[in-house]
């Protein structure tokens, strides 16, 4: 297993490095397709080994069922976003929006970004996890600023500034957690070892631990796009190339939630259970609620999808906050479902904005006439992201809300349903306008690349299949991961 973990870190690094020195487009595409396939294959084997053999520790590397859930997300999105990039970025090159040097830089940074996200999920030490999360910011900020125009640079600058403040707070919280650890076992221990902290968690000072977790929640919550720390997210998602927007929304936000959960597992042994529930549920409701007005008055298709991500991170946190096994199971399933659905929508948004030459919703009309296939896939994906049956997000949303009712929180479940109805109305309104509205003038559209369509068909197929049936191995993995979050092995 240790060799597999090292390979999972090695493949994206070497692929990204080699991409920087290739001058032929076909070589760059082939190299990255092979590299991404190998990375995702290795991650799939790691997930399989964890499912069958359990957790694995090797020095600084540690993986368990919780890691496996997120590694599944990175494996799936790493591959689909890379396949989508092949035709999307080639079109950007052909139309003169980027140069061959920019293409080299894109694939180099893409792979570094994948490397940093895998690092977050395989390190055992909470201090190293903080370093890895910070590294994701550095890699992804350069991708947000990829086009180097004024809007992209402003978005990247805002992203770096806001997330740096957040990550500094997370560092402060991590240092306080180390201080609480030292007060119990002294300095002759492995500092910030997650397994050691978990073992002594019940002996940690409650006051220091509570303060530490508040800083950690705000810090990593900023990275996860939770309101009110979400202000960087719409700009970054809007300005990044569409495959990167899919990765940011589907994988990066999930990695930040993962960092919160890893710390939560430690602190929940010593902190008041109701305090944690109120804190997490309050933040979750605020994130879901604040997305509504921004979705209802939105003019930019990618910002519309970005605010939808704020809502979905709120839903995930809601499931964790309710903290019953069923709710946590639903939250973890929602992490996977949201990642696949949202990345698909960003891929489709990328195709649409390339053909319509605008991200302005009011100027995108008549998709069903100008691009019948893309228009159909777009409305299917919007139905999926809003939690309409039979798609997978319906199952995960239903599970979380059902867990709320089952836990005696009737008003919480009813309130969330009311908020989701508002978001559904906003998303469907803009979707119907874009798909069935009158284009007003002739739109000349080109042919959509086969790799782009393959990645979209694959993702939508996953949404439908897992909406009808959660595979047994995934069901078992989610139960084990929920057990880890509840404090089990």
């Amino acid at each position: 297993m240790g060799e597999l973990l090292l390979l999972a870190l090695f493949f994206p690094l070497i692929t990204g490095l080699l991409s920087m020195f290739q001058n032929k487009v076909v070589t760059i595409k082939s190299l990255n397709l092979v590299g991404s396939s190998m990375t995702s294959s290795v991650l799939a084997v790691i997930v399989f080994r964890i499912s069958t053999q359990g957790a694995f520790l090797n020095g600084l590397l540690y993986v368990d069922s919780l890691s496996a859930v997120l590694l599944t997300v990175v494996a799936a999105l790493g591959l689909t976003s890379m396949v989508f990039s092949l035709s999307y970025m080639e079109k950007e090159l052909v139309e003169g929006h980027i140069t061959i040097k920019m293409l080299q830089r894109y694939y180099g940074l893409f792979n570094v970004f994948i490397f940093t996200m895998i690092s977050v999920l395989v390190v055992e030490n909470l201090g190293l996890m903080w370093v890895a999360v910070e590294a994701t910011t550095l890699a992804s900020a350069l991708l947000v600023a990829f086009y180097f125009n004024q809007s992209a640079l402003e978005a990247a600058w805002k992203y770096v500034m806001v997330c740096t403040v957040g990550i500094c707070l997370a560092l402060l919280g991590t240092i306080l957690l180390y201080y609480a650890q030292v007060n119990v076992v002294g300095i002759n221990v492995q500092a910030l070892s997650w397994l050691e902290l978990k073992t002594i968690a019940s002996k940690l000072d409650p006051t220091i631990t509570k303060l530490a977790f508040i800083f950690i929640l705000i810090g990593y919550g900023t990275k996860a796009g939770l309101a009110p720390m979400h202000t960087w997210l719409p700009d970054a998602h809007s300005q990044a190339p569409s495959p990167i927007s899919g990765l940011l929304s589907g994988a990066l936000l999930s990695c930040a939630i993962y960092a919160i959960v890893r710390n939560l597992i430690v602190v929940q042994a010593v902190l008041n259970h109701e305090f944690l529930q109120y804190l997490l549920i309050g933040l979750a409701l605020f994130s879901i609620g604040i997305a509504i007005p921004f979705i209802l008055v939105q003019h930019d298709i990618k910002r519309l999808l970005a605010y939808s991500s704020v809502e979905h991170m709120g839903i995930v946190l809601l499931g964790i906050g309710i903290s019953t096994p069923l709710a946590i199971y639903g939250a973890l399933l929602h992490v996977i479902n949201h990642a696949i659905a949202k990345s698909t929508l960003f891929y489709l948004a990328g195709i649409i904005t390339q053909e319509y030459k605008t991200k302005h919703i009011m100027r995108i009309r008549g998709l069903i006439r100008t691009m019948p296939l893309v228009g159909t896939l777009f409305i299917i994906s919007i139905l999926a992201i809003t939690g309409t049956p039979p798609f997978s997000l319906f199952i995960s949303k239903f599970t979380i809300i059902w867990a709320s009712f089952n836990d005696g929180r009737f008003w919480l479940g009813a309130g969330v349903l009311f908020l989701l109805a508002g978001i559904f109305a906003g998303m469907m309104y803009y979707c119907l306008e874009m798909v069935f509205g009158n284009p007003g003038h002739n739109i000349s559209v080109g042919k959509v690349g086969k790799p782009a369509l393959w990645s979209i068909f694959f993702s939508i197929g996953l949404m439908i299949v897992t909406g009808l049936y959660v595979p047994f191995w995934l069901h078992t993995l989610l139960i084990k991961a929920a057990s880890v979050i509840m404090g089990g092995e």
Side-chain angles (χ1 to χ4, degrees):
M1 181 73 95
E3 293 79 7
L4 288 173
L5 292 172
L6 292 176
L7 281 176
L9 294 168
F10 172 76
F11 281 139
L13 272 187
I14 192 67
T15 305
L17 183 64
L18 292 176
S19 298
M20 298 294 289
F21 299 100
Q22 307 303 317
N23 293 317
K24 293 182 178 179
V25 176
V26 66
T27 307
I28 295 174
K29 289 169 64 176
S30 302
L31 174 65
N32 279 275
L33 182 58
V34 172
S36 184
S37 300
M38 293 177 74
T39 303
S40 294
S41 299
V42 171
L43 291 178
V45 174
I46 291 172
V47 171
F48 174 76
R49 290 277 187 90
I50 296 170
S51 302
T52 54
Q53 301 174 11
F56 175 81
L57 173 66
N58 182 16
L60 297 175
L61 302 178
Y62 175 75
V63 285
D64 58 13
S65 300
L66 180 58
S67 316
V69 173
L70 276 296
L71 287 173
T72 303
V73 169
V74 174
L77 264 62
L79 184 60
T80 60
S81 58
M82 175 57 72
V83 173
F84 182 83
S85 295
L86 299 179
S87 52
Y88 179 86
M89 296 308 293
E90 185 175 17
K91 186 158 189 171
E92 292 286 274
L93 181 67
V94 170
E95 294 185 349
H97 299 305
I98 62 173
T99 63
I100 189 69
K101 289 290 183 188
M102 292 176 73
L103 189 68
Q104 294 169 336
R105 176 158 49 87
Y106 171 82
Y107 283 109
L109 290 171
F110 181 103
N111 284 287
V112 172
F113 187 28
I114 295 291
F115 165 79
T116 56
M117 287 192 289
I118 294 173
S119 301
V120 172
L121 304 176
V122 300
V123 293
E124 187 268 346
N125 188 284
L126 294 181
L128 290 178
M129 183 184 295
W130 179 89
V131 173
V133 172
E134 175 66 1
T136 64
T137 305
L138 299 176
S140 54
L142 293 172
L143 286 165
V144 171
F146 177 71
Y147 290 107
F148 273 90
N149 54 40
Q150 184 177 352
S151 299
L153 290 173
E154 284 179 1
W157 179 249
K158 188 175 182 180
Y159 173 42
V160 171
M161 293 300 292
V162 175
C163 284
T164 298
V165 172
I167 210 71
C168 286
L169 293 176
L171 176 61
L172 180 57
T174 305
I175 292 171
L176 286 172
L177 200 57
Y178 171 63
Y179 178 64
Q181 180 190 18
V182 168
N183 282 343
V184 176
V185 294
I187 58 174
N188 296 319
V189 294
Q190 189 177 350
L192 291 172
S193 163
W194 182 78
L195 289 171
E196 290 194 13
L197 275 167
K198 190 183 172 191
T199 304
I200 62 163
S202 60
K203 300 176 184 175
L204 297 175
D205 183 293
T207 304
I208 297 173
T209 307
K210 179 187 285 186
L211 191 60
F213 184 67
I214 290 172
F215 280 123
I216 287 169
L217 180 62
I218 296 173
Y220 289 132
T222 303
K223 190 78 178 176
L226 295 170
M229 300 85 72
H230 65 287
T231 52
W232 64 270
L233 192 148
D235 294 316
H237 285 48
S238 175
Q239 295 303 321
S242 285
I244 302 303
S245 302
L247 272 180
L248 286 171
S249 185
L252 180 61
L253 303 187
S254 302
C255 286
I257 290 286
Y258 170 86
I260 293 173
V261 171
R262 278 291 177 199
N263 284 277
L264 176 66
I265 293 169
V266 172
V267 304
Q268 67 187 357
V270 65
L271 295 187
N272 182 282
H273 188 62
E274 287 189 352
F275 165 76
L276 288 174
Q277 282 192 320
Y278 287 138
L279 187 64
L280 296 176
I281 292 174
L283 202 56
L285 290 177
F286 191 44
S287 298
I288 298 170
I290 205 168
I292 297 176
F294 290 100
I295 286 176
L296 292 176
V297 301
Q298 197 48 247
H299 302 294
D300 184 309
I301 182 173
K302 292 183 73 174
R303 291 177 70 90
L304 179 76
L305 301 179
Y307 278 109
S308 169
S309 296
V310 176
E311 170 222 346
H312 283 278
M313 289 302 104
I315 293 172
V316 171
L317 197 66
L318 177 68
I320 296 168
I322 294 171
S323 69
T324 64
L326 181 63
I328 294 174
Y329 176 97
L332 292 171
L333 181 59
H334 198 73
V335 166
I336 297 174
N337 292 338
H338 169 257
I340 295 170
K342 187 56 62 64
S343 58
T344 308
L345 273 167
F346 272 115
Y347 301 157
L348 286 164
I351 294 173
I352 294 167
T353 54
Q354 269 189 336
E355 300 301 334
Y356 277 71
K357 316 296 183 193
T358 181
K359 290 181 284 189
H360 204 287
I361 291 173
M362 293 295 290
R363 295 175 185 167
I364 301 172
R365 289 289 185 270
L367 280 171
I368 202 68
R369 276 184 278 178
T370 57
M371 308 171 73
L373 178 58
V374 172
T376 304
L377 295 174
F378 185 69
I379 199 166
I380 288 174
S381 299
I382 289 289
L383 286 170
I385 201 70
T386 51
T388 309
F391 300 103
S392 54
L393 278 96
F394 169 76
I395 300 295
S396 49
K397 282 184 179 179
F398 179 82
T399 303
I400 294 170
I401 293 170
W402 176 251
S404 174
F405 287 123
N406 206 34
D407 195 41
R409 302 172 186 272
F410 176 81
W411 290 110
L412 175 62
V416 172
L417 280 175
F418 177 76
L419 294 175
L420 294 183
I423 291 170
F424 177 83
M427 295 290 286
M428 287 308 299
Y429 170 75
Y430 288 117
C431 172
L432 294 175
E433 287 284 309
M434 286 186 278
V435 173
F436 297 109
N438 186 356
H441 58 281
N442 291 328
I443 303 292
S444 176
V445 297
K447 190 176 180 181
V448 180
K450 286 183 180 178
L453 287 178
W454 289 340
S455 61
I456 292 169
F457 278 128
F458 175 73
S459 300
I460 290 179
L462 285 179
M463 284 189 276
I464 295 174
V465 170
T466 52
L468 299 173
Y469 165 73
V470 178
F472 180 73
W473 70 268
L474 180 58
H475 173 69
T476 307
L477 183 66
L478 291 172
I479 290 176
K480 289 179 180 176
S483 173
V484 171
I485 296 176
M486 297 289 291
E489 297 296 330

